[in-house]
C-alpha cells in the first residue's frame, strides 16, 4: 500500500526539484522584462538561485551516473554505491530542520507570493516586490529598500538555511577548529578529513535556529500594532526579505552538499574509469575517516560529518540537550509563524478602513490553513525518508 503513495509523491517532488532552476530563471527573465518598476534584488537573487541549482543538478546527476556505472562493473569488496548512499545521508539536513524550518519557509514563500500577486486588492507591483500601500496611509510596503534592516533580514534568512546543512556546518567545524589527521596529510582535500570541533557543530546548529527568530518577532509586533489590517503591514515585505535570503541559503547549501559528496567519492578513487581497478583501500580510508563508531564495534558502523548528535562525545555533553531543546523551540515558533501569517492575512484580506462591514475571506483562510497542513505533513514524512530524493529507486 505504501508504494502506491510513495511513487506518485516522488514523481511530483522530483519534477518540482528539477523545475526549480527553470522557475528561478523564469522569474529572473519575467522581472527583467517587466514594464513596471523592477526589483534589482529580485533579479540578482533569482539569477544566483538559478545558477547554484543548475550547477548542483549537473554535479548530482553526473555523480549518480558515474557511481552507477562504477558499481555495476567494479570488483571491489567495498561498494561505491554504499559509500555514495552514506554520504548523501550524512549531507541531508536533520529531520527536525526539514520538518520545521524548511516546511515553514516553503509555506511562508507561497503565502507571501499569493499576497504579493493580489494587486487588485492591495495594489503594488510584484516585479518590484511592492505589496502596495501600508494600512492607515503609513507609506509604501516594498521589500529590499536601501536600509540596514533589509540587509539584516536577508542575512538572517541566508544563515538560517545555510547553517542547517551538515555539509556547511561540518566544513566550518573542520576548517576553523578541526585537528589534522596524519593519514591524509598528502591529500589535496586534507581539510575535509580533519576531526571536527564538536562545539562549533553545536554553535552552527544553534545559530541556524536563532536566525529564524525574526519572522516570529515581526508577526507578533505587527499583529499587536495593526491586527485589523495585518495584510497591509510591513510584515509582508520584511518577512519576504528573510524568505528570499532563505532561498539563497538553500541553493548554496545544496551546491556545497553535492560538491562535498563528489569530493569524497573522488578521494575514494571514483572516476569515469573507476571500473578498471580495485579501490578497496581508498574506500576504506574514507569510510574510516567518517566513522564515529567505537573501536570495538564490529558490523555496526556509524558515520558522521556535520550533525553534532552523530558524535559520541556530544551525547556525553551536559550542554547538548539544552542546545537541542532551545533549537527545537525556536523552530516550532517558526512553524507557528508560518501558520498564523496565512490565517491573519485571510482574516484581514478584505478589510477597508472606511468600511467596517467587510467580512473575513473564509475560503482563503481555509486555503492557507490547508497549505500549512499539507506542506508540514509531507515535509515531516520526507524527514523520515531519503533526502535529496533518490530518483534511481
Amino acid at each position: 500500500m505504501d508504494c502506491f503513495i510513495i511513487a506518485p509523491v516522488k514523481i511530483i517532488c522530483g519534477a518540482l526539484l528539477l523545475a526549480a532552476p527553470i522557475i528561478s530563471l523564469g522569474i529572473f527573465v519575467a522581472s527583467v522584462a517587466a514594464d513596471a518598476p523592477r526589483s534589482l534584488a529580485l533579479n540578482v537573487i533569482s539569477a544566483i538561485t538559478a545558477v547554484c541549482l543548475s550547477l548542483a543538478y549537473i554535479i548530482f546527476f553526473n555523480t549518480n551516473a558515474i557511481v552507477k556505472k562504477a558499481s555495476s562493473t567494479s570488483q571491489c569488496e567495498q561498494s561505491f554505491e554504499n559509500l555514495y548512499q552514506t554520504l548523501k545521508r550524512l549531507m541531508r539536513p536533520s529531520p527536525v530542520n526539514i520538518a520545521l524550518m524548511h516546511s515553514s519557509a516553503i509555506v511562508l514563500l507561497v503565502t507571501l507570493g499569493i499576497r504579493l500577486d493580489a494587486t487588485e486588492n492591495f495594489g503594488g507591483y510584484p516585479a518590484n516586490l511592492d505589496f502596495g500601500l501600508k494600512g492607515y496611509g503609513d507609506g509604501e510596503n516594498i521589500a529590499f529598500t536601501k536600509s540596514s534592516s533589509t540587509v539584516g533580514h536577508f542575512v538572517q534568512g541566508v544563515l538560517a538555511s545555510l547553517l542547517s546543512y551538515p555539509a556547511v556546518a561540518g566544513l566550518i567545524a573542520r576548517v576553523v577548529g578541526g585537528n589534522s589527521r596524519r593519514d591524509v596529510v598528502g591529500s589535496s582535500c586534507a581539510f575535509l578529513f580533519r576531526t571536527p570541533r564538536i562545539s562549533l557543530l553545536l554553535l552552527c546548529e544553534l545559530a541556524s535556529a536563532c536566525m529564524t527568530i525574526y519572522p516570529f518577532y515581526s508577526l507578533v509586533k505587527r499583529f499587536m500594532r495593526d491586527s485589523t489590517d495585518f495584510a497591509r503591514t510591513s510584515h509582508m515585505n520584511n518577512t519576504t526579505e528573510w524568505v528570499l535570503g532563505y532561498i539563497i541559503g538553500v541553493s548554496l547549501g545544496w551546491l556545497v552538499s553535492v560538491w562535498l559528496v563528489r569530493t569524497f567519492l573522488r578521494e575514494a578513487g571514483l572516476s569515469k574509469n573507476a571500473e578498471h581497478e580495485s579501490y578497496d583501500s581508498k574506500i576504506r580510508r574514507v569510510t574510516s575517516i567518517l566513522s564515529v563508531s567505537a573501536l570495538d564495534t564490529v558490523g555496526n558502523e556509524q558515520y558522521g560529518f556535520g550533525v553534532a548528535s552523530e558524535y559520541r562525545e556530544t551525547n556525553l555533553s551536559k550542554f547538548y540537550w539544552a542546545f537541542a531543546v532551545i533549537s527545537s523551540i525556536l523552530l516550532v515558533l517558526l512553524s507557528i509563524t508560518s501558520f498564523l501569517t496565512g490565517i491573519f492575512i485571510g482574516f484581514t484580506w478584505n478589510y477597508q478602513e472606511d468600511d467596517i462591514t467587510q467580512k473575513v475571506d473564509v475560503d482563503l483562510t481555509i486555503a492557507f490553513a490547508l497549505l500549512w497542513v499539507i506542506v508540514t505533513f509531507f515535509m515531516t514524512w520526507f524527514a523520515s525518508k531519503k533526502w535529496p530524493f533518490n530518483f534511481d529507486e
Side-chain angles (χ1 to χ4, degrees):
M1 183 68 180
D2 193 34
C3 64
F4 292 103
I5 300 176
I6 296 176
V9 169
K10 289 181 68 174
I11 293 174
I12 294 172
C13 294
L16 290 175
L17 285 172
L18 289 172
I22 300 175
I23 293 173
S24 300
L25 182 60
I27 293 174
F28 171 74
V29 173
S31 180
V32 171
D35 295 330
R38 300 183 294 271
S39 170
L40 175 61
L42 180 61
N43 294 342
V44 173
I45 291 170
S46 56
I48 293 175
T49 302
V51 170
C52 289
L53 290 180
S54 297
L55 290 174
Y57 286 131
I58 292 172
I59 297 173
F60 178 74
F61 287 110
N62 181 254
T63 302
N64 262 346
I66 296 176
V67 168
K68 188 175 182 180
K69 180 180 178 182
S71 297
S72 64
T73 58
S74 177
Q75 301 300 316
C76 297
E77 294 180 4
Q78 302 293 321
S79 169
F80 279 120
E81 178 65 28
N82 291 338
L83 176 59
Y84 184 41
Q85 295 301 328
T86 297
L87 288 169
K88 288 201 296 183
R89 178 180 60 79
L90 292 178
M91 300 304 166
R92 70 185 181 189
S94 69
V96 172
N97 277 317
I98 295 173
L100 294 177
M101 179 196 295
H102 296 287
S103 65
S104 301
I106 292 172
V107 172
L108 284 172
L109 175 64
V110 176
T111 300
L112 294 171
I114 293 173
R115 166 60 182 83
L116 178 64
D117 191 55
T119 55
E120 292 185 2
N121 279 52
F122 305 98
Y125 300 96
N128 195 37
L129 297 179
D130 184 354
F131 288 86
L133 295 177
K134 296 179 183 178
Y136 306 105
D138 289 340
E140 295 178 322
N141 199 355
I142 302 176
F144 287 97
T145 57
K146 297 178 181 179
S147 66
S148 58
S149 60
T150 286
V151 176
H153 304 156
F154 177 75
V155 171
Q156 288 178 65
V158 173
L159 293 177
S161 56
L162 187 61
L163 293 177
S164 73
Y165 280 86
V168 177
L171 275 178
I172 294 173
R174 285 165 173 78
V175 174
V176 176
N179 298 319
S180 299
R181 298 172 60 107
R182 294 181 180 179
D183 54 339
V184 291
V185 172
S187 172
S188 60
C189 296
F191 66 93
L192 291 179
F193 302 132
R194 293 177 178 176
T195 303
R197 179 171 291 182
I198 306 303
S199 59
L200 287 179
L201 289 179
L202 286 171
L203 286 175
C204 285
E205 293 178 15
L206 182 61
S208 173
C210 288
M211 293 299 104
T212 65
I213 293 176
Y214 180 75
F216 177 74
Y217 161 78
S218 176
L219 175 81
V220 173
K221 178 181 177 180
R222 272 72 193 191
F223 182 77
M224 294 289 290
R225 292 177 54 183
D226 302 304
S227 60
T228 58
D229 203 10
F230 182 82
R232 296 179 183 272
T233 64
S234 57
H235 179 71
M236 306 301 115
N237 76 74
N238 292 336
T239 307
T240 296
E241 294 164 352
W242 185 92
V243 169
L244 292 181
Y246 162 87
I247 292 175
I248 290 292
V250 167
S251 304
L252 293 173
W254 195 16
L255 180 58
V256 172
S257 298
V258 296
W259 170 77
L260 268 183
V261 170
R262 184 61 176 268
T263 301
F264 273 116
L265 289 171
R266 189 181 295 115
E267 288 293 318
L270 179 69
S271 67
K272 293 182 179 179
N273 299 317
E275 69 272 18
H276 298 311
E277 297 183 36
S278 174
Y279 292 93
D280 283 336
S281 61
K282 291 185 177 181
I283 295 176
R284 285 195 184 96
R285 184 183 70 164
V286 173
T287 55
S288 67
I289 290 170
L290 294 173
S291 176
V292 295
S293 300
L295 295 178
D296 58 352
T297 301
V298 178
N300 189 30
E301 290 81 4
Q302 298 179 10
Y303 304 99
F305 184 79
V307 178
S309 60
E310 293 170 338
Y311 293 85
R312 296 187 308 278
E313 53 265 46
T314 302
N315 296 325
L316 300 176
S317 172
K318 61 182 178 180
F319 299 107
Y320 170 67
W321 292 109
F323 275 61
V325 169
I326 293 172
S327 298
S328 298
I329 291 174
L330 293 175
L331 294 180
V332 168
L333 290 178
L334 179 65
S335 183
I336 293 173
T337 299
S338 66
F339 176 76
L340 292 181
T341 294
I343 297 300
F344 292 162
I345 289 176
F347 279 175
T348 59
W349 187 267
N350 294 319
Y351 177 80
Q352 298 292 336
E353 186 178 0
D354 56 351
D355 185 2
I356 60 174
T357 63
Q358 294 289 345
K359 297 181 179 180
V360 173
D361 192 321
V362 177
D363 292 339
L364 186 64
T365 303
I366 294 175
F368 282 138
L370 287 176
L371 170 68
W372 182 86
V373 171
I374 293 171
V375 172
T376 302
F377 170 79
F378 278 111
M379 292 297 283
T380 302
W381 180 77
F382 290 147
S384 63
K385 303 295 180 180
K386 295 183 178 180
W387 185 276
F389 303 101
N390 187 355
F391 300 109
D392 296 330
E393 292 187 350

